[in-house]
Amino acid sequence: MTPGEGGTARDIFHLGGQPGEPAAMPAEAEISRPPSGFELGADRVFRRCTLTVAWLTVLLVFWVVVSIGRQAMPSIRSYGLSFLAGTAWDANRAQFGILPAIVGTLYSSILGLAIGTAFGLAIAIFLSEGFLSSGLDRLLGYMRLSEYSWLHSLPGRVENLLRITVELLAAIPSVVYGLWGIFVVIPFIRPPAAWLNSHLGWIPFFGTNLSGPGLLPASIVLAIMVLPTISAISRDALVAVPPKLREAAFGIGATRWEAILGIFVPTAATGIFGAIILGFGRALGETMALAMLAGNANVISWSLFSPANTLAALLANHFPEADKIEVGALMYASLVLLLITLVVNIVGTVILQRADAGLKGLR
Amino acid sequence: MRIVRGMLALGGAALMGLILATPNGRSGLGSGVAIGAGTITLQGSGATFPAPLYQKWFTEYNKAHPDIEINYQALGSGAGIKQFQQNLVDFGASDAAMTDEEIAAVKQGVVLLPMTAGAIVLSYNLLNGPSELKLSREAYVGIFLGKITQWDDPAIAKSNPGVRLPSLKIQPVVRSDGSGTTFVFTSHLSAVSDAWKNGPGAGKSVNFPAAVAGKGNAGVTALIKETPGAIGYVEYGYAMQTKIPMVALQNKSGSYVKADLTSGKDALASVQLPANLRAWITDPTGAQSYPIVTYTWLLCYKKYSDPDKAAAIKSVVQYGLTQGQSFSVDLGYIPLPPNVVDAVSKALAQIS
């Protein structure tokens, strides 16, 4: 907002109101009078408040980065870049390295995101492209029930129900996901994992046996956790595809799938990509479920079944009992995590801007 | 929209950072609210290991003395020591007592009071496997060093004649969070094996080779239960209540002993407490001693600014030493030997 805006608003009010004329209807007169000094003042105060709060948020980020950085400084000085390349976390010998945690964080997040995106996008397409109502139409046609119009509101309701159910997944606490992972997901995927390991063990992804916690169960649970984010935002983006594009697509004779995959999804790609970036952010920072499922072992392996460690889990596990030197190292690790998240978000924003600019003509 | 998204992301990063930057433990410290006039509230925090027993004591004590309320937060030994040093609490609790260095950092002086003792057991998961398992010292050290990787290894078979051991990979399970339990377990392994001492060593969190890790006793127990071939260390009380099988361990004199009340008492009796009441029982010598046993300590200041608080703490400790000991067995702890009770009662005089 510019400082001149208050003045503009007053001008508009002036035009709308007719000062001086006796009011036939008191309500109208009250609406059309110019804003009082108090209202203008309140307006200004409100604007200042929002501005202050907005800047405070930005300041908060800097404050966090600076305070973490200050505590991390001794450890950055003494370990330097070898901290990023080291593979052992041994508080006893003051040896700290977070390479396995970095690799594990990225591996589990990307894998979880890939699974989550596949399902999330499918859900978004299903919920936005009227699959339910077309299916119902056909069903009603077969059953000769088409004339009952109240049935036609059914698909919308079912779609709503499905959407809300998927979004409810976001409300489940992460520790519950962790427990569910230990007691349901791990036993469930153990037999197929054992089969893959014994028959296809030469492929690096299946190179080790799944003993219990590991990357795959962690990624599966992570996928479920990012699913609501991805499906909700992707669905919004698909719904927002301009109607003229839809009509044009079908007008030139595209089949439904051609229209969806060739036109709607690419048009909504900006929003879908935004959804994926948000999901990535959530996956990178997820702590509790991963601390319970990833195995917390400093191992670097291609294998999906190998235990791993993540930065957030490392921090959560070691903070409560850490001594001064270890706290410094943990601060360093959290700085690295912050940096990774920041880079992901910046790259995401830049790509979004590019994609947005390319689509401007369509809007 | 884009800006909003960017802000959201930044905000998320900030929030995460904030959570991480919170000085550990402090967020979990509830402040005691005095209810009526004359009510004394004692704040304590520390070890999770004796927490069930302490909670029991404090509620029972409060029933008898409604004017004294005790709040105990089971945050872990390290957090307990830290908060105790920073004067955030009235007393702390630790499974690893306190080092001389840590004691020196407390101006008011420190009294270490062993209040109870417990054993740490190895629990395992062998589907349709033996209900009784014996592990020699080489075997359990070898397993946690990652040198013995199969359940049918000769080192395990030797001490279990007649037991059919499956050809299954051993999966060691350890604590992912720093913990007094890990300290006691690794101190024992260091005392038993030079390879361990010069390898991972002893500490509240060590670099375990070849292990997966769960958070807390509950996390470790869950992993053991869900992983065929797993073996891990948990507190005796916890294993007893969750009914997972426990290994009989070979002690210093060579016999295989299961953790129970008698073998635990035997282990305590084999160690004489020094004047400062701090002794780690890394490898008890008795013939029937269970090898991994520890005292757990309350940390009190020598001087309290509030005389009422000092009196209240003395009274609570005295209660724990006398009536309190009777709850120990049910909850899986080992009652203190009478000579230790006497020594602790005498040490109480240092508090003022």
Side-chain angles (χ1 to χ4, degrees), chain A residues 80-277:
Chain A
L81 288 178
S82 70
F83 185 73
L84 303 177
T87 56
W89 188 276
D90 190 343
N92 260 347
R93 290 181 174 56
Q95 280 177 1
F96 302 107
I98 54 167
L99 188 63
I102 295 177
V103 173
T105 305
L106 292 176
Y107 198 163
S108 62
S109 299
I110 291 172
L111 190 62
L113 203 63
I115 305 172
T117 304
F119 281 93
L121 196 55
I123 292 171
I125 291 175
F126 182 77
L127 289 181
S128 66
E129 301 302 326
F131 279 95
L132 268 175
S133 57
S134 71
L136 190 80
D137 275 350
R138 208 170 304 154
L139 192 73
L140 291 180
Y142 282 132
M143 295 168 69
R144 293 166 200 284
L145 290 170
S146 304
E147 63 267 31
Y148 296 104
S149 60
W150 57 268
L151 276 173
H152 291 279
S153 68
L154 197 63
R157 282 187 202 168
V158 176
E159 264 170 23
N160 257 341
L161 188 76
L162 283 177
R163 190 173 52 82
I164 292 167
T165 312
V166 172
E167 279 167 21
L168 264 183
L169 285 178
I172 298 175
S174 132
V175 60
V176 176
Y177 274 117
L179 286 173
W180 182 73
I182 290 179
F183 291 108
V184 179
V185 176
I186 291 176
F188 186 74
I189 62 174
R190 189 177 283 125
W195 188 88
L196 283 171
N197 176 233
S198 59
H199 290 79
L200 298 169
W202 49 272
I203 301 174
F205 293 119
F206 308 131
T208 60
N209 192 24
L210 180 81
S211 55
L215 267 170
L216 187 62
S219 302
I220 290 176
V221 170
L222 214 48
I224 299 170
M225 297 178 82
V226 300
L227 193 66
T229 314
I230 292 178
S231 76
I233 299 176
S234 306
R235 183 189 160 277
D236 288 350
L238 282 169
V239 168
V241 170
K244 62 180 177 190
L245 250 183
R246 291 177 182 273
E247 287 155 18
F250 290 120
I252 59 170
T255 63
R256 193 177 208 178
W257 279 112
E258 282 166 352
I260 290 173
L261 294 179
I263 299 182
F264 303 162
V265 171
T267 311
T270 326
I272 294 173
F273 194 77
I276 294 174
I277 292 293

Side-chain angles (χ1 to χ4, degrees), chain A residues 60-61 63-64 67-68 71 88-93 182-183 186-187 190 211-213 270-271 274 278 285 288 291-292 295-298 307 315-323 326-327 331 334 337-338 341-342 345 349 352-353 356, chain B residues 1-2 5-11 13-14 16-18 20-22 24 75-80 82 169 171 176-180 196-207 211-215 219 222-223 225-228:
Chain A
L60 184 71
V61 175
W63 181 49
V64 166
S67 57
I68 292 180
Q71 289 199 58
W89 188 276
D90 190 343
N92 260 347
R93 290 181 174 56
I182 290 179
F183 291 108
I186 291 176
R190 189 177 283 125
S211 55
T270 326
L278 275 184
M288 197 57 209
M292 293 168 83
N296 304 308
N298 280 322
L315 294 170
N317 276 322
H318 288 273
F319 247 117
E321 298 277 324
D323 58 15
E326 198 178 3
V327 166
M331 286 296 179
S334 58
L337 179 57
L338 209 65
T341 326
L342 213 65
N345 278 309
T349 316
L352 278 179
Q353 267 169 350
D356 227 15
Chain B
M1 168 76 189
R2 218 162 40 230
R5 206 180 291 139
M7 287 280 235
L8 262 183
L10 271 178
M16 196 176 62
L18 243 194
L20 297 177
T22 309
N24 42 63
L75 301 173
S77 299
K82 224 173 286 169
K169 194 175 163 283
Q171 179 59 64
S176 62
D177 46 338
S179 132
W196 188 275
K197 199 172 177 181
N198 303 322
K204 276 181 249 170
S205 85
V206 306
N207 192 16
V212 297
K215 202 162 160 42
L223 287 185
K225 278 190 163 174
E226 291 303 317
T227 310

Side-chain angles (χ1 to χ4, degrees), chain B residues 31 38 45 112 157 178 229 244 250 309 327:
Chain B
S31 58
S45 78
L112 298 172
I244 45 177
Q250 188 183 31
K309 272 192 178 170
F327 302 119

